[in-house]
Amino acid sequence: MTEALSIMLWPLIACLLLPGILVYYGLHIVRREIIFVDLALAQVAALGICLSILLKHDAHDWQTYGWSLGFTFVGAAIFTLTRSQDHRVPQEALIGIVYVVAAATAILLLSQSAEGDEELKRTLVGDILLVQPAEVFRAFGLYAVIGVIHFVFRKRFLMISFEPEQAIARGLSVRGWDFLFYVLFGFVVTSFVHIGGVLMIFSYLIVPAVCANLLAHSLRLKLLIGWLTATLASVVGLYISYKNDLPTGASIVCALGAALLLVGLAAKFGRTSRQPARPTADVVAQKLEQ
């Protein structure tokens, strides 16, 4: 038990402290129906890491973080400018293109590195098992600041995500607030990609948010359910990883997938049991005769 705690302590703390802001952002993203924007932005951030590594910087240097953040800001600007009410070319299609091009470019860059395959794997699944206390506290402090900003301007952020037509009608600068939304999201993505990788950040953003939407209607209850889903799946994933000597990030992602399956089945059977029984043909005939 002591050995397990010494190995898994900081990964566990990271998985308990950091996903809270991801769940909140996930609810925005699911409501906007741009599900893969986080995956695309995370891949753009990873592309910045790949370029920095090719320039001979260590993955944990401040230069690498700067390159990653800069690329993320470019992605934020692209996603802000491509949001429109014209559905001839859905924004999700453009997001997919950004993801594919960023992933292909990362492969090309890392093909020039002697450890390209290992670095590519690291950008996908991260190294959360090797996370350091300083990384956790730095990311948590950053997320706390971003959370305060979102709380102060919550009405505007919620309106542009959940009621964009009303935001436009009220004369709100949708593009301006959208850009701020994505810039703050870029800080979240950049810091978490260094810790957990692209796949984990996508799973933490989308899976708890989808589970929450299946089970609740109010925003507060959705946040609570999403956080509980992320927490329980993290604990289960870490335990499975330790007991079976499996990759930690991949184990957590699979645990989140299993949680979504269970919640989906529970929601489906719950709706079925609440549906009123359909009247039989005899009952309908009797009512017509009356």
Side-chain angles (χ1 to χ4, degrees):
M1 182 65 182
T2 305
E3 182 185 1
L5 190 60
S6 65
I7 295 173
M8 292 295 182
L9 177 61
W10 285 106
L12 177 61
I13 292 174
C15 290
L16 294 179
L17 290 181
L18 303 184
I21 191 75
L22 299 177
V23 172
Y24 169 76
Y25 261 108
L27 292 172
H28 278 273
I29 288 165
V30 170
R31 183 63 180 84
R32 289 175 176 224
E33 298 181 350
I34 47 172
I35 307 303
F36 293 104
V37 69
D38 51 328
L39 191 61
L41 208 55
Q43 187 59 60
V44 170
L47 177 59
I49 295 173
C50 295
L51 180 59
S52 181
I53 290 171
L54 191 64
L55 295 174
K56 308 302 182 182
H57 297 299
D58 185 77
H60 299 284
D61 287 348
W62 66 267
Q63 293 97 330
T64 301
Y65 186 83
W67 276 105
S68 182
L69 193 61
F71 272 66
T72 307
F73 287 166
V74 172
I78 291 171
F79 297 143
T80 300
L81 294 173
T82 54
R83 184 182 184 184
S84 70
Q85 301 300 314
D86 185 355
H87 296 289
R88 288 179 299 173
V89 180
Q91 190 180 18
E92 192 79 344
L94 299 173
I95 290 168
I97 292 169
V98 170
Y99 169 75
V100 169
V101 172
T105 307
I107 292 171
L108 291 175
L109 290 176
L110 291 179
S111 68
Q112 305 301 311
S113 171
E115 300 178 353
D117 291 341
E118 187 62 31
E119 294 297 342
L120 186 61
K121 179 182 176 183
R122 191 174 300 163
T123 62
L124 287 174
V125 298
D127 313 330
I128 196 164
L129 192 62
L130 303 178
V131 68
Q132 299 298 311
E135 290 181 285
V136 176
F137 289 128
R138 189 163 51 241
F140 181 71
L142 175 64
Y143 292 2
V145 171
I146 293 172
V148 169
I149 295 173
H150 268 276
F151 180 77
V152 171
F153 299 108
R154 61 190 180 279
K155 292 183 179 179
R156 292 174 175 83
F157 284 124
L158 290 172
M159 190 178 293
I160 64 171
S161 291
F162 291 84
E163 298 175 332
E165 294 83 5
Q166 186 176 347
I168 294 171
R170 291 191 178 188
L172 200 66
S173 176
V174 174
R175 286 199 187 278
W177 287 103
D178 236 11
F179 182 67
L180 179 58
F181 175 88
Y182 282 121
V183 165
L184 296 175
F185 186 39
F187 279 103
V188 172
V189 167
T190 303
S191 59
F192 200 88
V193 162
H194 282 267
I195 295 172
V198 173
L199 297 181
M200 188 180 288
I201 192 172
F202 176 80
S203 300
Y204 271 133
L205 279 160
I206 300 303
V207 174
V210 172
C211 291
N213 276 290
L214 288 172
L215 297 177
H217 295 286
S218 70
L219 182 60
R220 288 183 181 179
L221 193 53
K222 286 179 180 179
L223 285 170
L224 177 61
I225 292 172
W227 183 80
L228 287 174
T229 301
T231 299
L232 292 174
S234 297
V235 172
V236 171
L238 286 168
Y239 177 78
I240 291 173
S241 170
Y242 175 75
K243 292 296 290 184
N244 298 284
D245 193 24
L246 295 171
T248 308
S251 297
I252 293 173
V253 170
C254 290
L256 285 164
L260 177 57
L261 178 61
L262 292 174
V263 169
L265 290 172
K268 181 175 178 59
F269 286 115
R271 283 195 300 268
T272 302
S273 63
R274 288 194 298 268
Q275 285 177 354
R278 290 177 129 185
T280 63
D282 291 339
V283 173
V284 173
Q286 288 175 6
K287 287 184 178 181
L288 290 174
E289 289 174 0
Q290 293 172 358

PDB file of all heavy atoms in Angstrom, residues 21-51:
ATOM      1  N   ILE A  21     -11.617  22.317 -14.134  1.00  0.00           N
ATOM      2  CA  ILE A  21     -11.767  23.341 -15.174  1.00  0.00           C
ATOM      3  C   ILE A  21     -12.041  22.699 -16.526  1.00  0.00           C
ATOM      4  O   ILE A  21     -12.743  23.267 -17.372  1.00  0.00           O
ATOM      5  CB  ILE A  21     -10.510  24.237 -15.235  1.00  0.00           C
ATOM      6  CG1 ILE A  21     -10.749  25.477 -16.108  1.00  0.00           C
ATOM      7  CG2 ILE A  21      -9.316  23.463 -15.752  1.00  0.00           C
ATOM      8  CD1 ILE A  21     -11.597  26.518 -15.457  1.00  0.00           C
ATOM      9  N   LEU A  22     -11.518  21.473 -16.746  1.00  0.00           N
ATOM     10  CA  LEU A  22     -11.758  20.782 -18.010  1.00  0.00           C
ATOM     11  C   LEU A  22     -13.224  20.382 -18.138  1.00  0.00           C
ATOM     12  O   LEU A  22     -13.800  20.457 -19.227  1.00  0.00           O
ATOM     13  CB  LEU A  22     -10.863  19.547 -18.112  1.00  0.00           C
ATOM     14  CG  LEU A  22      -9.349  19.800 -18.077  1.00  0.00           C
ATOM     15  CD1 LEU A  22      -8.585  18.487 -18.118  1.00  0.00           C
ATOM     16  CD2 LEU A  22      -8.918  20.686 -19.232  1.00  0.00           C
ATOM     17  N   VAL A  23     -13.830  19.956 -17.037  1.00  0.00           N
ATOM     18  CA  VAL A  23     -15.257  19.599 -17.058  1.00  0.00           C
ATOM     19  C   VAL A  23     -16.097  20.822 -17.417  1.00  0.00           C
ATOM     20  O   VAL A  23     -17.030  20.750 -18.227  1.00  0.00           O
ATOM     21  CB  VAL A  23     -15.691  19.026 -15.695  1.00  0.00           C
ATOM     22  CG1 VAL A  23     -17.211  18.846 -15.636  1.00  0.00           C
ATOM     23  CG2 VAL A  23     -14.993  17.693 -15.436  1.00  0.00           C
ATOM     24  N   TYR A  24     -15.765  21.963 -16.813  1.00  0.00           N
ATOM     25  CA  TYR A  24     -16.494  23.205 -17.100  1.00  0.00           C
ATOM     26  C   TYR A  24     -16.369  23.589 -18.567  1.00  0.00           C
ATOM     27  O   TYR A  24     -17.361  23.891 -19.237  1.00  0.00           O
ATOM     28  CB  TYR A  24     -15.949  24.320 -16.209  1.00  0.00           C
ATOM     29  CG  TYR A  24     -16.430  25.702 -16.597  1.00  0.00           C
ATOM     30  CD1 TYR A  24     -17.717  26.121 -16.282  1.00  0.00           C
ATOM     31  CD2 TYR A  24     -15.600  26.579 -17.285  1.00  0.00           C
ATOM     32  CE1 TYR A  24     -18.161  27.385 -16.644  1.00  0.00           C
ATOM     33  CE2 TYR A  24     -16.038  27.838 -17.658  1.00  0.00           C
ATOM     34  CZ  TYR A  24     -17.316  28.239 -17.331  1.00  0.00           C
ATOM     35  OH  TYR A  24     -17.747  29.473 -17.707  1.00  0.00           O
ATOM     36  N   TYR A  25     -15.144  23.560 -19.091  1.00  0.00           N
ATOM     37  CA  TYR A  25     -14.946  23.873 -20.507  1.00  0.00           C
ATOM     38  C   TYR A  25     -15.653  22.845 -21.390  1.00  0.00           C
ATOM     39  O   TYR A  25     -16.171  23.177 -22.456  1.00  0.00           O
ATOM     40  CB  TYR A  25     -13.455  23.916 -20.837  1.00  0.00           C
ATOM     41  CG  TYR A  25     -12.884  25.309 -20.870  1.00  0.00           C
ATOM     42  CD1 TYR A  25     -12.046  25.754 -19.860  1.00  0.00           C
ATOM     43  CD2 TYR A  25     -13.189  26.193 -21.901  1.00  0.00           C
ATOM     44  CE1 TYR A  25     -11.516  27.040 -19.876  1.00  0.00           C
ATOM     45  CE2 TYR A  25     -12.662  27.474 -21.923  1.00  0.00           C
ATOM     46  CZ  TYR A  25     -11.831  27.891 -20.911  1.00  0.00           C
ATOM     47  OH  TYR A  25     -11.323  29.171 -20.942  1.00  0.00           O
ATOM     48  N   GLY A  26     -15.665  21.594 -20.959  1.00  0.00           N
ATOM     49  CA  GLY A  26     -16.327  20.552 -21.734  1.00  0.00           C
ATOM     50  C   GLY A  26     -17.806  20.822 -21.916  1.00  0.00           C
ATOM     51  O   GLY A  26     -18.373  20.570 -22.997  1.00  0.00           O
ATOM     52  N   LEU A  27     -18.462  21.352 -20.887  1.00  0.00           N
ATOM     53  CA  LEU A  27     -19.886  21.679 -21.004  1.00  0.00           C
ATOM     54  C   LEU A  27     -20.110  22.766 -22.056  1.00  0.00           C
ATOM     55  O   LEU A  27     -21.082  22.720 -22.819  1.00  0.00           O
ATOM     56  CB  LEU A  27     -20.430  22.134 -19.641  1.00  0.00           C
ATOM     57  CG  LEU A  27     -20.503  21.047 -18.560  1.00  0.00           C
ATOM     58  CD1 LEU A  27     -20.878  21.664 -17.213  1.00  0.00           C
ATOM     59  CD2 LEU A  27     -21.498  19.961 -18.953  1.00  0.00           C
ATOM     60  N   HIS A  28     -19.219  23.745 -22.101  1.00  0.00           N
ATOM     61  CA  HIS A  28     -19.304  24.781 -23.137  1.00  0.00           C
ATOM     62  C   HIS A  28     -19.135  24.168 -24.525  1.00  0.00           C
ATOM     63  O   HIS A  28     -19.890  24.474 -25.460  1.00  0.00           O
ATOM     64  CB  HIS A  28     -18.205  25.836 -22.917  1.00  0.00           C
ATOM     65  CG  HIS A  28     -18.544  26.867 -21.898  1.00  0.00           C
ATOM     66  ND1 HIS A  28     -19.228  28.026 -22.197  1.00  0.00           N
ATOM     67  CD2 HIS A  28     -18.294  26.926 -20.566  1.00  0.00           C
ATOM     68  CE1 HIS A  28     -19.374  28.764 -21.109  1.00  0.00           C
ATOM     69  NE2 HIS A  28     -18.813  28.106 -20.101  1.00  0.00           N
ATOM     70  N   ILE A  29     -18.140  23.317 -24.665  1.00  0.00           N
ATOM     71  CA  ILE A  29     -17.803  22.754 -25.973  1.00  0.00           C
ATOM     72  C   ILE A  29     -18.911  21.843 -26.487  1.00  0.00           C
ATOM     73  O   ILE A  29     -19.274  21.894 -27.665  1.00  0.00           O
ATOM     74  CB  ILE A  29     -16.462  22.004 -25.881  1.00  0.00           C
ATOM     75  CG1 ILE A  29     -15.330  23.019 -25.731  1.00  0.00           C
ATOM     76  CG2 ILE A  29     -16.223  21.127 -27.102  1.00  0.00           C
ATOM     77  CD1 ILE A  29     -14.030  22.420 -25.286  1.00  0.00           C
ATOM     78  N   VAL A  30     -19.466  21.017 -25.609  1.00  0.00           N
ATOM     79  CA  VAL A  30     -20.575  20.138 -26.013  1.00  0.00           C
ATOM     80  C   VAL A  30     -21.772  20.975 -26.426  1.00  0.00           C
ATOM     81  O   VAL A  30     -22.451  20.671 -27.418  1.00  0.00           O
ATOM     82  CB  VAL A  30     -20.934  19.167 -24.870  1.00  0.00           C
ATOM     83  CG1 VAL A  30     -22.235  18.431 -25.170  1.00  0.00           C
ATOM     84  CG2 VAL A  30     -19.805  18.160 -24.666  1.00  0.00           C
ATOM     85  N   ARG A  31     -22.060  22.054 -25.690  1.00  0.00           N
ATOM     86  CA  ARG A  31     -23.200  22.913 -26.025  1.00  0.00           C
ATOM     87  C   ARG A  31     -22.995  23.620 -27.356  1.00  0.00           C
ATOM     88  O   ARG A  31     -23.931  23.816 -28.125  1.00  0.00           O
ATOM     89  CB  ARG A  31     -23.413  23.945 -24.918  1.00  0.00           C
ATOM     90  CG  ARG A  31     -24.623  24.850 -25.154  1.00  0.00           C
ATOM     91  CD  ARG A  31     -25.914  24.042 -25.171  1.00  0.00           C
ATOM     92  NE  ARG A  31     -27.065  24.875 -25.391  1.00  0.00           N
ATOM     93  CZ  ARG A  31     -27.510  25.268 -26.595  1.00  0.00           C
ATOM     94  NH1 ARG A  31     -26.854  24.882 -27.688  1.00  0.00           N
ATOM     95  NH2 ARG A  31     -28.581  26.014 -26.704  1.00  0.00           N
ATOM     96  N   ARG A  32     -21.747  23.990 -27.658  1.00  0.00           N
ATOM     97  CA  ARG A  32     -21.451  24.661 -28.929  1.00  0.00           C
ATOM     98  C   ARG A  32     -21.429  23.682 -30.110  1.00  0.00           C
ATOM     99  O   ARG A  32     -21.357  24.104 -31.258  1.00  0.00           O
ATOM    100  CB  ARG A  32     -20.077  25.339 -28.844  1.00  0.00           C
ATOM    101  CG  ARG A  32     -20.032  26.553 -27.943  1.00  0.00           C
ATOM    102  CD  ARG A  32     -18.606  27.068 -27.850  1.00  0.00           C
ATOM    103  NE  ARG A  32     -18.532  28.296 -27.060  1.00  0.00           N
ATOM    104  CZ  ARG A  32     -17.821  29.360 -27.399  1.00  0.00           C
ATOM    105  NH1 ARG A  32     -17.113  29.358 -28.505  1.00  0.00           N
ATOM    106  NH2 ARG A  32     -17.804  30.428 -26.628  1.00  0.00           N
ATOM    107  N   GLU A  33     -21.437  22.373 -29.801  1.00  0.00           N
ATOM    108  CA  GLU A  33     -21.397  21.312 -30.820  1.00  0.00           C
ATOM    109  C   GLU A  33     -20.121  21.405 -31.666  1.00  0.00           C
ATOM    110  O   GLU A  33     -20.128  21.199 -32.873  1.00  0.00           O
ATOM    111  CB  GLU A  33     -22.636  21.353 -31.717  1.00  0.00           C
ATOM    112  CG  GLU A  33     -23.929  21.116 -30.948  1.00  0.00           C
ATOM    113  CD  GLU A  33     -25.152  21.139 -31.842  1.00  0.00           C
ATOM    114  OE1 GLU A  33     -25.034  21.522 -33.023  1.00  0.00           O
ATOM    115  OE2 GLU A  33     -26.231  20.760 -31.361  1.00  0.00           O
ATOM    116  N   ILE A  34     -19.014  21.707 -30.981  1.00  0.00           N
ATOM    117  CA  ILE A  34     -17.698  21.707 -31.638  1.00  0.00           C
ATOM    118  C   ILE A  34     -16.819  20.722 -30.853  1.00  0.00           C
ATOM    119  O   ILE A  34     -15.811  21.096 -30.262  1.00  0.00           O
ATOM    120  CB  ILE A  34     -17.081  23.116 -31.697  1.00  0.00           C
ATOM    121  CG1 ILE A  34     -17.179  23.823 -30.338  1.00  0.00           C
ATOM    122  CG2 ILE A  34     -17.754  23.960 -32.762  1.00  0.00           C
ATOM    123  CD1 ILE A  34     -16.431  25.143 -30.267  1.00  0.00           C
ATOM    124  N   ILE A  35     -17.241  19.468 -30.868  1.00  0.00           N
ATOM    125  CA  ILE A  35     -16.697  18.455 -29.971  1.00  0.00           C
ATOM    126  C   ILE A  35     -15.186  18.304 -30.113  1.00  0.00           C
ATOM    127  O   ILE A  35     -14.476  18.061 -29.147  1.00  0.00           O
ATOM    128  CB  ILE A  35     -17.385  17.098 -30.220  1.00  0.00           C
ATOM    129  CG1 ILE A  35     -18.917  17.249 -30.156  1.00  0.00           C
ATOM    130  CG2 ILE A  35     -16.909  16.066 -29.222  1.00  0.00           C
ATOM    131  CD1 ILE A  35     -19.431  17.818 -28.868  1.00  0.00           C
ATOM    132  N   PHE A  36     -14.679  18.431 -31.334  1.00  0.00           N
ATOM    133  CA  PHE A  36     -13.269  18.143 -31.554  1.00  0.00           C
ATOM    134  C   PHE A  36     -12.375  19.377 -31.469  1.00  0.00           C
ATOM    135  O   PHE A  36     -11.195  19.295 -31.798  1.00  0.00           O
ATOM    136  CB  PHE A  36     -13.091  17.445 -32.908  1.00  0.00           C
ATOM    137  CG  PHE A  36     -13.711  16.079 -32.939  1.00  0.00           C
ATOM    138  CD1 PHE A  36     -14.917  15.866 -33.602  1.00  0.00           C
ATOM    139  CD2 PHE A  36     -13.113  15.010 -32.284  1.00  0.00           C
ATOM    140  CE1 PHE A  36     -15.498  14.613 -33.609  1.00  0.00           C
ATOM    141  CE2 PHE A  36     -13.694  13.753 -32.287  1.00  0.00           C
ATOM    142  CZ  PHE A  36     -14.888  13.547 -32.948  1.00  0.00           C
ATOM    143  N   VAL A  37     -12.936  20.513 -31.013  1.00  0.00           N
ATOM    144  CA  VAL A  37     -12.105  21.713 -30.936  1.00  0.00           C
ATOM    145  C   VAL A  37     -11.009  21.530 -29.907  1.00  0.00           C
ATOM    146  O   VAL A  37      -9.874  21.996 -30.100  1.00  0.00           O
ATOM    147  CB  VAL A  37     -12.960  22.963 -30.619  1.00  0.00           C
ATOM    148  CG1 VAL A  37     -13.504  22.928 -29.204  1.00  0.00           C
ATOM    149  CG2 VAL A  37     -12.146  24.235 -30.845  1.00  0.00           C
ATOM    150  N   ASP A  38     -11.308  20.842 -28.803  1.00  0.00           N
ATOM    151  CA  ASP A  38     -10.289  20.631 -27.785  1.00  0.00           C
ATOM    152  C   ASP A  38      -9.194  19.691 -28.284  1.00  0.00           C
ATOM    153  O   ASP A  38      -8.011  19.892 -28.020  1.00  0.00           O
ATOM    154  CB  ASP A  38     -10.910  20.089 -26.499  1.00  0.00           C
ATOM    155  CG  ASP A  38     -11.788  18.878 -26.757  1.00  0.00           C
ATOM    156  OD1 ASP A  38     -12.399  18.813 -27.831  1.00  0.00           O
ATOM    157  OD2 ASP A  38     -11.876  18.001 -25.890  1.00  0.00           O
ATOM    158  N   LEU A  39      -9.604  18.662 -29.035  1.00  0.00           N
ATOM    159  CA  LEU A  39      -8.624  17.737 -29.603  1.00  0.00           C
ATOM    160  C   LEU A  39      -7.725  18.465 -30.602  1.00  0.00           C
ATOM    161  O   LEU A  39      -6.503  18.277 -30.613  1.00  0.00           O
ATOM    162  CB  LEU A  39      -9.344  16.574 -30.281  1.00  0.00           C
ATOM    163  CG  LEU A  39      -8.499  15.373 -30.714  1.00  0.00           C
ATOM    164  CD1 LEU A  39      -7.838  14.735 -29.503  1.00  0.00           C
ATOM    165  CD2 LEU A  39      -9.341  14.359 -31.446  1.00  0.00           C
ATOM    166  N   ALA A  40      -8.345  19.325 -31.436  1.00  0.00           N
ATOM    167  CA  ALA A  40      -7.568  20.076 -32.422  1.00  0.00           C
ATOM    168  C   ALA A  40      -6.628  21.062 -31.741  1.00  0.00           C
ATOM    169  O   ALA A  40      -5.451  21.183 -32.112  1.00  0.00           O
ATOM    170  CB  ALA A  40      -8.505  20.808 -33.376  1.00  0.00           C
ATOM    171  N   LEU A  41      -7.136  21.778 -30.730  1.00  0.00           N
ATOM    172  CA  LEU A  41      -6.301  22.761 -30.041  1.00  0.00           C
ATOM    173  C   LEU A  41      -5.176  22.070 -29.267  1.00  0.00           C
ATOM    174  O   LEU A  41      -4.044  22.577 -29.218  1.00  0.00           O
ATOM    175  CB  LEU A  41      -7.164  23.594 -29.084  1.00  0.00           C
ATOM    176  CG  LEU A  41      -6.697  25.017 -28.772  1.00  0.00           C
ATOM    177  CD1 LEU A  41      -6.503  25.820 -30.043  1.00  0.00           C
ATOM    178  CD2 LEU A  41      -7.683  25.721 -27.861  1.00  0.00           C
ATOM    179  N   ALA A  42      -5.475  20.905 -28.687  1.00  0.00           N
ATOM    180  CA  ALA A  42      -4.433  20.149 -27.997  1.00  0.00           C
ATOM    181  C   ALA A  42      -3.366  19.674 -28.979  1.00  0.00           C
ATOM    182  O   ALA A  42      -2.167  19.683 -28.668  1.00  0.00           O
ATOM    183  CB  ALA A  42      -5.051  18.950 -27.271  1.00  0.00           C
ATOM    184  N   GLN A  43      -3.798  19.274 -30.190  1.00  0.00           N
ATOM    185  CA  GLN A  43      -2.827  18.833 -31.191  1.00  0.00           C
ATOM    186  C   GLN A  43      -1.984  19.999 -31.694  1.00  0.00           C
ATOM    187  O   GLN A  43      -0.788  19.841 -31.974  1.00  0.00           O
ATOM    188  CB  GLN A  43      -3.555  18.173 -32.360  1.00  0.00           C
ATOM    189  CG  GLN A  43      -2.643  17.524 -33.385  1.00  0.00           C
ATOM    190  CD  GLN A  43      -1.770  16.447 -32.777  1.00  0.00           C
ATOM    191  OE1 GLN A  43      -2.263  15.473 -32.228  1.00  0.00           O
ATOM    192  NE2 GLN A  43      -0.463  16.613 -32.874  1.00  0.00           N
ATOM    193  N   VAL A  44      -2.596  21.176 -31.797  1.00  0.00           N
ATOM    194  CA  VAL A  44      -1.831  22.371 -32.185  1.00  0.00           C
ATOM    195  C   VAL A  44      -0.792  22.692 -31.110  1.00  0.00           C
ATOM    196  O   VAL A  44       0.354  23.040 -31.411  1.00  0.00           O
ATOM    197  CB  VAL A  44      -2.780  23.558 -32.411  1.00  0.00           C
ATOM    198  CG1 VAL A  44      -1.994  24.854 -32.567  1.00  0.00           C
ATOM    199  CG2 VAL A  44      -3.641  23.326 -33.651  1.00  0.00           C
ATOM    200  N   ALA A  45      -1.206  22.576 -29.823  1.00  0.00           N
ATOM    201  CA  ALA A  45      -0.252  22.784 -28.733  1.00  0.00           C
ATOM    202  C   ALA A  45       0.879  21.759 -28.800  1.00  0.00           C
ATOM    203  O   ALA A  45       2.058  22.090 -28.599  1.00  0.00           O
ATOM    204  CB  ALA A  45      -0.966  22.682 -27.387  1.00  0.00           C
ATOM    205  N   ALA A  46       0.530  20.506 -29.097  1.00  0.00           N
ATOM    206  CA  ALA A  46       1.545  19.454 -29.227  1.00  0.00           C
ATOM    207  C   ALA A  46       2.482  19.733 -30.399  1.00  0.00           C
ATOM    208  O   ALA A  46       3.676  19.401 -30.343  1.00  0.00           O
ATOM    209  CB  ALA A  46       0.858  18.101 -29.397  1.00  0.00           C
ATOM    210  N   LEU A  47       1.946  20.347 -31.455  1.00  0.00           N
ATOM    211  CA  LEU A  47       2.786  20.712 -32.600  1.00  0.00           C
ATOM    212  C   LEU A  47       3.854  21.713 -32.178  1.00  0.00           C
ATOM    213  O   LEU A  47       5.016  21.624 -32.604  1.00  0.00           O
ATOM    214  CB  LEU A  47       1.915  21.289 -33.716  1.00  0.00           C
ATOM    215  CG  LEU A  47       2.646  21.795 -34.967  1.00  0.00           C
ATOM    216  CD1 LEU A  47       3.450  20.680 -35.615  1.00  0.00           C
ATOM    217  CD2 LEU A  47       1.643  22.381 -35.967  1.00  0.00           C
ATOM    218  N   GLY A  48       3.478  22.662 -31.328  1.00  0.00           N
ATOM    219  CA  GLY A  48       4.467  23.606 -30.806  1.00  0.00           C
ATOM    220  C   GLY A  48       5.555  22.898 -30.003  1.00  0.00           C
ATOM    221  O   GLY A  48       6.733  23.250 -30.090  1.00  0.00           O
ATOM    222  N   ILE A  49       5.158  21.884 -29.230  1.00  0.00           N
ATOM    223  CA  ILE A  49       6.133  21.094 -28.466  1.00  0.00           C
ATOM    224  C   ILE A  49       7.093  20.375 -29.413  1.00  0.00           C
ATOM    225  O   ILE A  49       8.306  20.356 -29.200  1.00  0.00           O
ATOM    226  CB  ILE A  49       5.405  20.082 -27.563  1.00  0.00           C
ATOM    227  CG1 ILE A  49       4.572  20.807 -26.500  1.00  0.00           C
ATOM    228  CG2 ILE A  49       6.400  19.144 -26.890  1.00  0.00           C
ATOM    229  CD1 ILE A  49       3.698  19.886 -25.670  1.00  0.00           C
ATOM    230  N   CYS A  50       6.526  19.781 -30.463  1.00  0.00           N
ATOM    231  CA  CYS A  50       7.348  19.047 -31.431  1.00  0.00           C
ATOM    232  C   CYS A  50       8.376  19.963 -32.099  1.00  0.00           C
ATOM    233  O   CYS A  50       9.540  19.582 -32.274  1.00  0.00           O
ATOM    234  CB  CYS A  50       6.460  18.404 -32.496  1.00  0.00           C
ATOM    235  SG  CYS A  50       5.352  17.120 -31.857  1.00  0.00           S
ATOM    236  N   LEU A  51       7.950  21.171 -32.475  1.00  0.00           N
ATOM    237  CA  LEU A  51       8.876  22.114 -33.108  1.00  0.00           C
ATOM    238  C   LEU A  51       9.978  22.510 -32.138  1.00  0.00           C
ATOM    239  O   LEU A  51      11.152  22.597 -32.515  1.00  0.00           O
ATOM    240  CB  LEU A  51       8.114  23.346 -33.583  1.00  0.00           C
ATOM    241  CG  LEU A  51       8.962  24.430 -34.260  1.00  0.00           C
ATOM    242  CD1 LEU A  51       9.689  23.876 -35.476  1.00  0.00           C
ATOM    243  CD2 LEU A  51       8.107  25.630 -34.644  1.00  0.00           C
TER     244      LEU A  51
END
